[in-house]
Amino acid sequence: ISADRKYFAVNSYLVDGGGEQEESFRTVSTYVMDERDGRILRTIPAAAAQRFHPADSNILVYVKLTHEIGVAGHIVFSSDLRALNITTGEEWSLRGASDADHCVASFDWDPTGTRIVLSRSLQGTPCDGKFGSFELVTIPWDEGRGGDALVLDMGQSEPSGIAYPRFSIDGKWIVFSRTTRGFREVGSGDLWAVPAGGGQAHRLSVSTDAMESLHAFSPDGKWLVFQSNRDRIDEIKGYVARFYADGTIAPAIPLPHAGHEDVSIVTIDWTP
């Protein structure tokens, strides 16, 4: 949903294929809708992970998928970052985030809308959501032109999946999910933080041997909500923890009605 609540955007997945030996092909589209009456204003084929500009609700940035195939549980695709002017319908690519040697997995705006952080595949490595290796970079927005990518120090001693970056509300930190291999392997995810302007990443103390991932900051920046299966591997619940200005975090508190033995959370977020 846009910050002024004028628009919201949703994804729709079409699935074709079935048996265990068959290939399953997925097509995803993004629909931009009027918040007041639900009218579809724009349809963007092969687009996902969309986010509105924090200060200009008419600008939507999204991951454009050139190719996405689900085969035996693997997701392999090529993608870059693009922008859409909802009013005019103009679409364009962003310099620094549209490189044929990389693919974009996920991204976030900083609170002022002047920078974007994105997770992208390492140069020369497969763009595979199960087994690929990824890094975090920031690029300037520069009125929609993009710019040179700044690679952040992940402190990686071996390849890993890095995804779902989220800027802290003060713009000083980026919290991300780091998995053993491939950003789709959220079952092995830990939460890490890295200084947005550069510096070494560190593992947040709420991380366990289970999965912690798919997180979001509260609008006042004081809390981080995330998903975890720390209690039962097949039961994903919601947790919240106080996030401090120095990049540290307090012990996690379970959200009592966010997940139970019959329900697992798919996504969790804060309203603006």
Side-chain angles (χ1 to χ4, degrees):
I1 189 167
S2 60
D4 61 3
R5 298 179 180 267
K6 184 178 181 181
Y7 306 116
F8 66 98
V10 297
N11 296 134
S12 174
Y13 290 86
L14 300 179
V15 180
D16 183 19
E20 293 182 358
Q21 304 302 319
E22 297 183 28
E23 295 182 348
S24 175
F25 294 90
R26 301 197 316 164
T27 301
V28 57
S29 296
T30 292
Y31 299 92
V32 182
M33 308 175 80
D34 190 309
E35 195 277 335
R36 296 164 298 179
D37 56 20
R39 287 183 302 117
I40 296 176
L41 304 175
R42 299 288 176 184
T43 299
I44 317 170
Q50 68 280 349
R51 286 187 171 268
F52 292 97
H53 190 287
D56 185 352
S57 63
N58 289 309
I59 300 296
L60 183 75
V61 171
Y62 56 91
V63 176
K64 181 72 171 181
L65 305 175
T66 306
H67 190 48
E68 181 175 16
I69 304 177
V71 181
H74 295 188
I75 296 179
V76 183
F77 60 82
S78 300
S79 61
D80 58 13
L81 215 56
R82 298 191 189 177
L84 166 72
N85 185 310
I86 297 168
T87 303
T88 66
E90 178 189 6
E91 296 182 56
W92 68 95
S93 298
L94 298 176
R95 187 166 72 87
S98 304
D99 186 339
D101 293 331
H102 304 276
C103 78
V104 176
S106 52
F107 75 97
D108 192 29
W109 291 96
D110 82 346
T112 63
T114 58
R115 287 178 299 173
I116 293 173
V117 59
L118 56 104
S119 165
R120 70 180 187 183
S121 64
L122 297 180
Q123 187 171 8
T125 64
C127 194
D128 186 326
K130 275 279 191 179
F131 302 105
S133 298
F134 292 78
E135 62 186 0
L136 284 186
V137 304
T138 60
I139 63 168
W141 171 241
D142 193 19
E143 298 182 346
R145 290 182 287 268
D148 295 335
L150 170 66
V151 180
L152 299 178
D153 183 2
M154 299 291 95
Q156 298 186 73
S157 58
E158 57 185 30
S160 60
I162 291 174
Y164 313 117
R166 294 290 179 264
F167 272 102
S168 61
I169 302 305
D170 61 10
K172 295 179 179 179
W173 295 95
I174 297 168
V175 173
F176 61 95
S177 175
R178 184 171 182 172
T179 64
T180 305
R181 292 183 70 184
F183 69 87
R184 297 284 182 176
E185 290 290 313
V186 294
S188 63
D190 287 332
L191 292 178
W192 286 62
V194 63
Q200 182 141 357
H202 62 275
R203 184 175 181 261
L204 293 180
S205 58
V206 292
S207 299
T208 68
D209 292 337
M211 178 271 285
E212 285 78 33
S213 187
L214 299 168
H215 46 284
F217 280 97
S218 62
D220 63 6
K222 295 180 179 180
W223 299 88
L224 188 73
V225 67
F226 61 92
Q227 298 169 228
S228 178
N229 60 351
R230 61 182 65 190
D231 294 330
R232 255 179 54 179
I233 193 168
D234 60 344
E235 182 181 316
I236 300 175
K237 293 182 178 180
Y239 293 82
V240 66
R242 185 68 183 265
F243 187 86
Y244 299 113
D246 63 357
T248 60
I249 196 166
I253 304 168
L255 298 175
H257 300 293
H260 53 81
E261 63 271 13
D262 297 322
V263 176
S264 287
I265 297 174
V266 177
T267 59
I268 191 168
D269 203 354
W270 299 85
T271 58

